[in-house]
Every structure is written in C-alpha cells, then in structure tokens.
Amino acid sequence: MLHSSSLVVEKRGPITRLRMTMKVAGLPLHETSAFVVADTLVDAAAPTSARELISHLRREPVARVILTHHHEDHAGCGADIQREFGIPVYAPQGALDILATGPRLPFYRRVLATSPRPYRALPLAQTTRCGDFTLETVPTPGHTFDHVCFFEPVEGWLFTGDLFVHERVPVLRGIENAQEQIASLKSVMALKPSILCCSQAGFVEDGTAALARKIEYWEGLANRARELRLGGMSPRRIARELLGHEGLFTWVSLGEFSKKRLIESLLDEG
C-alpha cells in the first residue's frame, strides 16, 4: 500500500491529542495532530489518516468538528467523518467554498496526503461550547487567509492549528505571509495562553513565552535580513547567509516551501 498512517494518543488533563503520521511507501514524511476537547474534535487530519481517525472516533465519539483552516492535513477527513457519524463540521467562512469544491493540490501534496473529497461545512460561530468548556474563535491570518485559532479563556488553552508550528521555523510556503503571521502571533500572545495545543509541536507549556520566542526569532531574522538587503545582497543570498542551504523538502515541493520565501516575506518582497 503506497499511503498509510499511524495514530498515537496523548492526553493532558481533559484534552486528547491525536498524533497522526502520514507515510508513503512506509516512510514517515509528515506529522499533524487533531485534538479532542470533551465532545468536540479540533481539526480533521489528512485523508490518509481517515481509517485511523474514524476508528478512534468510534471508540470515543464526538458531537462536532471545528476546523482551523482548509488545508488537507487539517480538514481532509471531514467528508469521511460526516458519512460515518452524521455530525456537523464547522469551518471558517473563507474555507467553506474550498471544502465544498475540493482544494486543488500541487503534485507533491497529492502524493503525501491524497486529495480530500469535497463536503459541505457550516460556518464557525464566535464561540463553541464543548462540554464544560468554551472555545472562542480568534482570526489569525498569515498561514492561510482563512486561518483561525481557538482559545479557552478560563483554562488558557490555545489551539493554534498551523500558526505556531515551532519556535524556530526557517521556511515559508508561497501562499503564506510572514508579516501577517507575526501580527497574528502577537494577537494571540496578548490572550496570555497557558498552553499551546499545536498541530506540529503538540502540547507546548508556557504558551505565552513560546509565542514570544517565535516572534523574537522572526523579527530578529527580519532585522538582520534588512541590514544585508541594504548592503545589496539578494534574498537568495541572505537566506543562505542566515539560514543555510535549502533543504530536501524545498526540492520535493518544487520550491513551494523555502528559506528564500521566508526572507522575501519578512522583507515584504514576496
């Protein structure tokens, strides 16, 4: 079988992390996480993880799904969940048409995650009640135009989707905007979250400090890039100077992810 997936369950108090690794020909290539809070699933993984996710939800059912954005590794199992359980999936307004028609994926993402089936999602409300908890919808554009985070104000939990990822992210996708992401990071940092529930990094303690460190890293990188740009250096050379050579995934993605794109976006030259 070309595509496969594994699922690992991690718990932190009332939050369950569903950690899913996508594999191609047995090789683990990408990891993402969904989270369960009481009766609500936050994000719906990639189509390659459908069997494992559905199996888990049969054992621990939920009443609804809420999505942070339309990307296939966060929304890809929505159609499978609706068909299997008949529960609603809620998504940001800007994601609704994309999910209904099915996103058009570049080749490497079709190989990695396969293309999701189209489905009808409902628009997210400003708040979602999850048992004894309330998740507030916080617009956080930058990774995508429709990206949102979910914040539980009493507990201080912040579900970050793909806003945070890691403290030191050295690459950017072509559709992303680093300046918008920094503004979004600052807006959620002002909420003073106690913990981040991140699709990549998992449970990140002292969430406010972690967000501050990511902002500091990108803003520091931007300041050094501007100095080198004023000296006449090209974004490609700046990226190599500050971040090193491009990695394998840059070539696999045909340049969609790259260090050069991050530098261009930090310089507002993308």
Side-chain angles (χ1 to χ4, degrees):
M1 183 169 58
L2 180 63
H3 292 95
S4 60
S5 177
S6 62
L7 186 151
V8 175
V9 177
E10 301 176 6
K11 291 185 179 289
R12 187 191 185 281
I15 306 173
T16 300
R17 178 191 182 192
L18 306 178
R19 183 177 181 178
M20 287 160 280
T21 302
M22 290 174 275
K23 303 174 184 179
V24 177
L27 297 175
L29 295 181
H30 182 61
E31 180 179 291
T32 191
S33 294
F35 294 88
V36 178
V37 184
D39 59 356
T40 301
L41 177 67
V42 179
D43 280 338
T48 47
S49 299
R51 183 171 62 179
E52 290 75 19
L53 182 58
I54 293 296
S55 178
H56 177 85
L57 294 177
R58 287 190 187 121
R59 297 189 302 271
E60 298 185 23
V62 296
R64 69 191 61 81
V65 182
I66 57 176
L67 305 178
T68 57
H69 61 298
H70 70 270
H71 279 166
E72 69 279 1
D73 56 341
H74 291 257
C77 293
D80 301 273
I81 292 171
Q82 284 184 340
R83 182 183 60 189
E84 182 72 23
F85 303 108
I87 62 175
V89 178
Y90 298 90
Q93 185 68 45
L96 301 181
D97 287 345
I98 297 172
L99 297 176
T101 57
R104 303 179 72 175
L105 304 182
F107 175 73
Y108 81 95
R109 284 164 63 186
R110 294 199 304 273
V111 170
L112 181 62
T114 74
S115 296
R117 286 191 291 273
Y119 62 96
R120 296 286 178 181
L122 300 172
L124 275 168
Q126 183 56 46
T127 60
T128 301
R129 191 67 181 169
C130 312
D132 294 332
F133 309 108
T134 299
L135 297 184
E136 298 177 350
T137 302
V138 184
T140 50
H143 175 70
T144 60
F145 70 96
D146 62 319
H147 197 284
V148 301
C149 293
F150 300 112
F151 182 60
E152 213 298 329
V154 176
E155 303 292 337
W157 305 328
L158 182 69
F159 296 85
T160 61
D162 274 343
L163 175 64
F164 178 74
V165 182
H166 293 289
E167 289 183 13
R168 298 173 72 88
V169 176
V171 296
L172 203 71
R173 184 180 290 182
I175 64 167
E176 294 183 270
N177 185 304
Q179 300 294 342
E180 285 187 354
Q181 286 194 61
I182 290 172
S184 291
L185 288 162
K186 289 179 176 179
S187 72
V188 294
M189 186 176 70
L191 300 173
K192 300 189 183 305
S194 60
I195 186 170
L196 309 182
C197 302
C198 174
S199 65
Q200 301 291 322
F203 296 115
V204 180
E205 304 290 344
D206 197 355
T208 302
L211 290 166
R213 287 191 292 269
K214 174 157 187 177
I215 294 166
E216 181 181 18
Y217 172 62
W218 266 9
E219 289 190 331
L221 195 60
N223 288 336
R224 285 179 285 160
R226 291 187 192 104
E227 292 174 0
L228 294 174
R229 191 72 172 119
L230 287 173
M233 192 176 288
S234 70
R236 187 180 300 278
R237 283 195 59 200
I238 294 170
R240 186 175 299 176
E241 178 77 16
L242 298 180
L243 299 169
H245 291 279
E246 299 286 359
L248 176 62
F249 200 54
T250 299
W251 309 113
V252 171
S253 68
L254 302 179
E256 185 181 2
F257 281 90
S258 73
K259 297 172 181 179
K260 174 177 172 285
R261 287 188 183 277
L262 175 59
I263 294 301
E264 289 174 336
S265 191
L266 290 171
L267 291 170
D268 283 329
E269 295 184 10

